[in-house]
Amino acid sequence: MKNNKIREMILGKPLDPLKSETRHSMALVAFLAWVGLGADGLSSSAYGPEETFRALGGHTHLGLYMAIATAVTVFVIALAYNQVIELFPTGGGGYRVSTKLVGPYMGLISGCALILDYVLTIAISIASGVDALASFLPLGFQPYKLWAEVFFIGLLIVMNLRGLKEAIQILLPIFLGFVVTHLVLIVYGICAHASHLPELIPSTMAETTDLASHIGWAGVAGMLLLAYSQGGGTYTGLEAVSNNVNLLAEPRVRTGKVTMIYMALSLAFTAGGIILLYLLWGAQPVPGETLNASTFKTIIASMGLGGEVVNQILLVIVLAFEAGLLFVAANTGFLGGPSVLSNMAADSWVPHKFRYLSTRLVTQNGILVMGVAALAIVWGTGGSVTLLVVLYSISVFLTFAISLFGLVLYWSRNRNKGTHWKRRWLLSALGFVICAGILAVLLVERFAEGGWVTALIIAAIAALCIYIRNHYRQTKQAIHSVDEVFASQPFGPNTEPVEPNPEEQTAVFIVGNSRGGGLHALLWVLRMFPNHFKNFLFVNARTVDYQAYGGEGALEQMRVEAEKTLEFFVDFCHSHGMAASSYLGFGTDAVDEVTRMCEEISHEFPHSIFFTSKLIFASDNWFTRLLHNQAALAAQRRLHLEGLQMVILPMKV
């Protein structure tokens, strides 16, 4: 009881998943979705443009091409991913697209890349945010940056365990502060050099021609392509909406598209505008400061708003909002990562427990895994943003490329009139060429600088997923064999229902989806205790997991399937003249719900003994226990503590 009180203080009181108003209150409207999901993309303007500009070296005049290319690329990817929202309105994004349109194993690669992507979203956003804060702190703070990053990741884990909307609303003022301050700086910074803008294009072209005379046009193109690819982190986060459509308010598709418009406009303006500021204000690297910090310092000083102290205060405010937005972006990893894990769990690539919701209706297991993995990567890389950007960009563009290739295949196969398939095919193909090109350049140019680590991590995750799925497949086949064995059990001649008598001896069976498992327990009890039990009750506690809670009509479908299974057991008993009844419950924790229902049954039927089946594997180890829910043992312990008798019947598979 004391632990429950402490848990409620930290995470909040439990929510009821069956109340429609709960789902409605947690759903995100387009504006909140822009904050919670779009912050990842917008925050990348804190490090993406800088990586692009640094890659140009001394040829900063090429920055104009990069500013234009960045803005155009944002819109191409965003519009292409709008199609994903249309085709997959229940969420899943890149993983679901790749699985359905390309194949399950390409879907697996996409899913593994997405998991790493969201872990790196947390890591790079926190690391970059701490860098922004360190830019206005003394150099003596540098050794403590890593500990600060660990603290902020831990704080976000707790916030997300409380619930996604609660976390987003806390971070909303920070998001708006970033938008306002950076809008003012970009607009002022460009307008202050308005007199230089007319000559910018001809002077850039002249300098480019001069450069080409020394290194050749192929050399110029290679330099531009490398800088363009190095800034690939700028486009990360654009897939977040398609991955999490199920979190949006109805109508979900429209809400998702509006959110994507917000994201594309804000990111194209901010990222492209910042590169233009670097170019116009002659940005130069300063030790201990980000390129944004040094550029913004120069712009604020030119405004003439006050003395050095006022300028420093304004710079601190701007960088604090930038760091804050990066922390909001890190929150996207805690929204998108568990969503991908849940979708992969539904396909048995990862342990099924990643589908389960906590009492706060969030995928607690996924949040914890993403947080711990982000802590490990931050610690392993020392929080180096340059290294994290390489890892990040490769994982992101691998997912982008596979997803957009899937869209190309889809429109090639569905050339229906009235669907504008040609336009959509061209958009998807353009997006695929851009993303595949960036991915190829990054792999070739940055393979030795961290690219190999990304490839190794994705390959390792994929290999583990294949092993897990093979185990689940074998287990499913074994359970199906059991079901087939018991499917031949004949029904009796009796057609009249027999009502249970509360004063008689009662056998209560906790059953699941498997009819074979339930009949196995029933026939075992009848054989071992002939004529002892007069009542036979069947209890099914269904877990409201991520898919059931987020999918349209999924909860009702789950109810119908569960009622049908329970009806089978009751009809079987009635046909043999045995008194029987059934009970159905729903909750986020099967053990809690089973315990509650069994306690109620014990009050109504005081002479009850509870039975359930448990899968027994020939080679049982910690890994199989991880993959399979140990609900039977947990329920037995809880019922024994309440003074109720429960027997677990082994069912070997």
Side-chain angles (χ1 to χ4, degrees):
M1 186 65 71
K2 186 177 180 180
N3 289 340
N4 289 341
K5 289 287 185 183
I6 295 173
R7 183 184 179 88
E8 284 189 13
M9 286 175 59
I10 297 174
L11 303 182
K13 293 184 177 181
L15 300 174
D16 186 354
L18 299 183
K19 288 185 177 179
S20 58
E21 54 266 30
T22 304
R23 169 69 176 83
H24 178 73
S25 67
M26 293 181 69
L28 301 177
V29 296
F31 181 75
L32 282 181
W34 179 40
V35 177
L37 303 174
D40 181 15
L42 187 57
S43 70
S44 62
S45 60
Y47 51 82
E50 178 170 350
E51 294 298 325
T52 297
F53 203 71
R54 284 178 182 273
L56 294 175
H59 307 289
T60 55
H61 65 277
L62 298 176
L64 179 61
Y65 302 122
M66 292 297 97
I68 296 170
T70 297
V72 170
T73 303
V74 167
F75 278 102
V76 169
I77 296 176
L79 291 173
Y81 262 80
N82 261 348
Q83 301 176 55
V84 176
I85 295 173
E86 285 181 9
L87 296 175
F88 299 89
T90 57
Y95 167 71
R96 190 60 63 201
V97 171
S98 305
T99 300
K100 296 292 185 183
L101 302 184
V102 186
Y105 285 98
M106 289 305 290
L108 170 63
I109 298 299
S110 180
C112 294
L114 267 175
I115 292 171
L116 181 58
D117 168 18
Y118 281 120
V119 171
L120 289 166
T121 294
I122 301 168
I124 195 173
S125 298
I126 294 294
S128 187
V130 171
D131 278 355
L133 293 175
S135 295
F136 60 78
L137 293 174
L139 287 175
F141 176 75
Q142 296 294 319
Y144 302 102
K145 288 198 304 181
L146 192 59
W147 289 106
E149 291 162 11
V150 170
F151 168 77
F152 284 120
I153 292 175
L155 184 63
L156 283 176
I157 290 173
V158 174
M159 288 174 61
N160 280 276
L161 289 176
R162 288 186 64 90
L164 69 97
K165 197 166 184 179
E166 193 166 333
I168 291 170
Q169 289 174 338
I170 291 172
L171 299 171
L172 177 60
I174 300 171
F175 181 88
L176 295 178
F178 172 92
V179 171
V180 171
T181 54
H182 283 64
L183 175 66
V184 170
L185 285 172
I186 291 171
V187 171
Y188 173 82
I190 294 174
C191 291
H193 284 73
S195 59
H196 301 294
L197 292 177
E199 62 189 51
L200 185 61
I201 294 177
S203 64
T204 298
M205 295 181 68
E207 290 179 26
T208 305
T209 304
D210 181 60
L211 178 63
S213 66
H214 292 87
I215 64 174
W217 285 105
V220 173
M223 186 180 297
L224 287 171
L225 187 58
L226 178 60
Y228 178 61
S229 302
Q230 186 69 17
T234 305
Y235 317 111
T236 58
L238 289 172
E239 79 287 352
V241 177
S242 65
N243 286 335
N244 298 279
V245 182
N246 56 298
L247 299 179
L248 305 181
E250 298 288 357
R252 293 178 183 175
V253 172
R254 184 179 179 280
T255 303
K257 287 186 173 183
V258 172
T259 304
M260 286 294 283
I261 291 173
Y262 290 163
M263 288 174 63
L265 287 172
S266 57
L267 178 56
F269 175 81
T270 307
I274 286 176
I275 294 176
L276 202 54
L277 290 183
Y278 293 159
L279 179 62
L280 294 173
W281 290 82
Q284 295 293 330
V286 177
E289 295 183 7
T290 63
L291 209 55
N292 280 11
S294 58
T295 305
F296 292 158
K297 182 191 291 185
T298 306
I299 294 173
I300 291 172
S302 73
M303 290 181 175
L305 298 175
E308 187 175 335
V309 175
V310 174
N311 291 344
Q312 185 65 21
I313 291 173
L314 291 175
L315 179 63
V316 168
I317 292 172
V318 172
L319 293 180
F321 278 127
E322 187 170 285
L325 183 74
L326 284 158
F327 297 152
V328 179
N331 197 62
T332 306
F334 287 108
L335 299 181
S339 174
V340 175
L341 283 169
S342 176
N343 279 292
M344 293 180 72
D347 294 336
S348 297
W349 290 116
V350 298
H352 290 162
K353 59 180 61 182
F354 284 112
R355 292 163 49 183
Y356 299 153
L357 298 171
S358 70
T359 57
R360 294 291 296 176
L361 303 183
V362 295
T363 46
Q364 178 173 297
N365 292 321
I367 289 171
L368 291 173
V369 165
M370 301 305 291
V372 171
L375 285 170
I377 284 186
V378 164
W379 198 266
T381 60
S384 169
V385 172
T386 301
L387 177 56
L388 287 169
V389 164
V390 174
L391 303 177
Y392 193 24
S393 299
I394 290 175
S395 61
V396 169
F397 280 96
L398 177 57
T399 300
F400 279 171
I402 296 174
S403 301
L404 293 171
F405 179 68
L407 290 176
V408 171
L409 292 180
Y410 177 82
W411 293 118
S412 298
R413 297 165 183 159
N414 295 272
R415 293 175 286 184
N416 302 321
K417 290 184 178 180
T419 59
H420 305 291
W421 71 269
K422 289 183 180 178
R423 184 192 311 166
R424 297 185 175 197
W425 184 91
L426 286 172
L427 179 63
S428 303
L430 177 61
F432 169 70
V433 170
I434 290 173
C435 294
I438 292 175
L439 176 63
V441 172
L442 284 172
L443 281 172
V444 172
E445 293 292 332
R446 295 290 181 256
F447 188 80
E449 299 173 24
W452 67 272
V453 177
T454 308
L456 182 63
I457 293 174
I458 292 174
I461 297 174
L464 180 61
C465 289
I466 291 172
Y467 178 81
I468 290 172
R469 195 184 205 199
N470 287 339
H471 173 84
Y472 277 132
R473 183 178 293 159
Q474 291 168 5
T475 304
K476 188 175 181 179
Q477 289 172 350
I479 294 174
H480 182 66
S481 299
V482 173
D483 287 344
E484 287 184 338
V485 168
F486 286 95
S488 59
Q489 290 295 321
F491 275 60
N494 188 49
T495 57
E496 296 297 323
V498 184
E499 295 299 324
N501 181 355
E503 302 304 320
E504 299 284 359
Q505 294 293 328
T506 304
V508 182
F509 298 94
I510 301 169
V511 298
N513 298 328
S514 170
R515 294 184 178 184
L519 284 177
H520 165 266
L522 173 63
L523 296 176
W524 188 94
V525 168
L526 290 174
R527 185 175 70 253
M528 298 301 294
F529 304 99
N531 301 318
H532 178 74
F533 293 105
K534 305 302 180 184
N535 302 325
F536 298 88
L537 308 182
F538 297 89
V539 176
N540 190 346
R542 298 303 298 268
T543 303
V544 181
D545 61 15
Y546 187 86
Q547 269 71 34
Y549 189 62
E552 190 69 30
L555 197 59
E556 184 58 32
Q557 181 182 352
M558 185 172 69
R559 183 192 299 274
V560 170
E561 291 174 354
E563 288 175 345
K564 190 175 180 181
T565 301
L566 287 173
E567 186 180 351
F568 169 82
F569 293 126
V570 173
D571 289 347
F572 182 85
C573 289
H574 285 168
S575 71
H576 291 282
M578 299 184 294
S581 185
S582 64
Y583 298 82
L584 176 62
F586 295 90
T588 57
D589 189 302
V591 175
D592 286 345
E593 189 63 20
V594 162
T595 304
R596 182 191 65 79
M597 295 171 71
C598 289
E599 287 175 353
E600 291 180 358
I601 290 171
S602 69
H603 292 306
E604 185 180 354
F605 295 87
H607 308 295
S608 296
I609 296 180
F610 299 88
F611 298 90
T612 192
S613 295
K614 181 182 183 299
L615 298 178
I616 302 296
F617 296 93
S619 56
D620 190 24
N621 52 48
W622 67 270
F623 195 69
T624 56
R625 289 191 291 273
L626 174 69
L627 297 184
H628 295 278
N629 196 347
Q630 301 296 307
L633 293 173
Q636 184 186 53
R637 180 178 179 277
R638 293 276 292 274
L639 292 180
H640 283 179
L641 288 173
E642 297 297 328
L644 303 177
Q645 297 303 312
M646 179 174 177
V647 179
I648 296 178
L649 308 175
M651 188 170 75
K652 187 176 179 180
V653 293

